[in-house]
Amino acid sequence: MERIYLNGASGLKLAADVAGHPEHQPVVMLHGGGQTRHSWGALTRTLAGNGYRAMTVDMRGHGESDWCPEGDYTLDRFVEDVHAILAELKRPPVLIGASLGGISSLLAAGEGSHLPLHGLVLVDIVPRVEPEGVQRIRQFMSAHVGGFDSYEEVVAAVNGYMPHRKARPRSREGLRKNLRVGEDDRLYWHWDPAFISGDRTPGSVRNVERLRDAARRIDVPTLLVRGKMSDVVSEEGV
């Protein structure tokens, strides 16, 4: 895969990995809040191997993308970033978004006038999510803003959050992609702490009607993917 940098809104640089022939159908993947572009690493390679131009992007404040100097991680800024990413592409892409990436993609697709889009895939996100599931994610992220002393602590935190997982992380390399080393030599999740600080209720909780209105206006083929054990998306939400 090739590393590139895209222009986000307000001049922020967004890191991305791309694979596949430049002339093939583009597919853009946007991760969830607190994750990085590496969430889509395997899918990026699979799509590239099946004739697509695959791109996985670090959203603002995440991974190797710029942190916003003003700490502006409001939903509108993420949507603006989606528009900026699409503006750099030669062909209308398929957008694949999970959680925050899905919310941003849904709004970009439903509110954007003549947005050049070939299709949309929403992963574990709908206009009305379950508050309890969202709160569990928020608590997990907030609990470790102060970092970790070791990789073993990271593994223990992840296992505690997802006790149903039978397999532990296979290597430290996978963890490293989602961690950064601070000046104090502690390990931190690879996102700007300002993303979760203060009153940062996820947009899908506050903006149900806005998201519903946007969903009604989507006019491209759309696929909704829901995990069987998801506590964020219910049957009613679907």
Side-chain angles (χ1 to χ4, degrees):
M1 285 191 283
E2 176 189 0
R3 173 79 51 76
I4 64 172
Y5 287 90
L6 306 169
N7 295 309
S10 307
L12 295 186
K13 292 295 181 182
L14 306 178
D17 287 336
V18 293
H21 195 283
E23 298 302 320
H24 289 170
Q25 170 64 53
V27 179
V28 176
M29 289 157 278
L30 301 173
H31 59 77
Q35 298 178 332
T36 70
R37 69 184 188 279
H38 301 293
S39 300
W40 303 110
L43 181 58
T44 302
R45 292 186 288 272
T46 298
L47 289 171
N50 282 275
Y52 293 92
R53 175 67 165 175
M55 175 186 297
T56 176
V57 184
D58 277 336
M59 301 185 77
R60 65 167 51 208
H62 292 72
E64 295 176 83
S65 288
D66 286 346
W67 289 10
C68 180
E70 298 81 22
D72 189 351
Y73 297 108
T74 53
L75 187 53
D76 285 336
R77 300 295 85 74
F78 285 108
V79 175
E80 289 174 3
D81 287 339
V82 175
H83 282 272
I85 292 168
L86 267 60
E88 296 195 31
L89 302 178
K90 296 179 179 179
R91 295 175 56 184
V94 173
L95 269 180
I96 302 178
S99 190
L100 174 64
I103 296 171
S104 305
S105 298
L106 188 157
L107 288 175
E111 296 181 342
S113 177
H114 307 296
L115 187 73
L117 200 60
H118 191 71
L120 177 66
V121 181
L122 302 175
V123 180
D124 211 39
I125 195 67
V126 289
R128 186 178 185 87
V129 295
E130 301 304 306
E132 295 81 5
V134 173
Q135 184 62 24
R136 191 171 74 91
I137 295 172
R138 184 177 172 82
Q139 288 174 345
F140 172 73
M141 295 176 68
S142 300
H144 305 288
V145 170
F148 304 89
D149 286 326
S150 65
Y151 283 100
E152 288 71 25
E153 281 192 10
V154 179
V155 171
V158 173
N159 288 341
Y161 176 65
M162 295 184 290
H164 58 279
R165 269 196 177 180
K166 295 180 181 180
R168 297 169 69 86
R170 287 175 290 181
S171 69
R172 289 188 176 186
E173 184 59 31
L175 286 174
R176 284 195 185 100
K177 293 178 179 179
N178 292 295
L179 296 165
R180 59 183 174 84
V181 180
E183 295 180 357
D184 56 1
D185 291 328
R186 287 172 61 78
L187 299 168
Y188 295 86
W189 293 125
H190 211 164
W191 41 267
D192 184 353
F195 172 71
I196 199 66
S197 65
D199 189 11
R200 295 286 178 186
T201 305
S204 56
V205 174
R206 289 181 168 179
N207 298 287
V208 174
E209 290 308 317
R210 179 184 177 186
L211 287 160
R212 281 177 172 165
D213 289 343
R216 293 185 184 103
R217 291 195 293 269
I218 291 174
D219 59 0
V220 296
T222 302
L223 172 67
L224 172 62
V225 180
R226 177 198 175 210
K228 181 179 179 181
M229 298 181 68
S230 173
D231 58 359
V232 175
V233 175
S234 65
E235 290 288 350
E236 182 183 4
V238 171

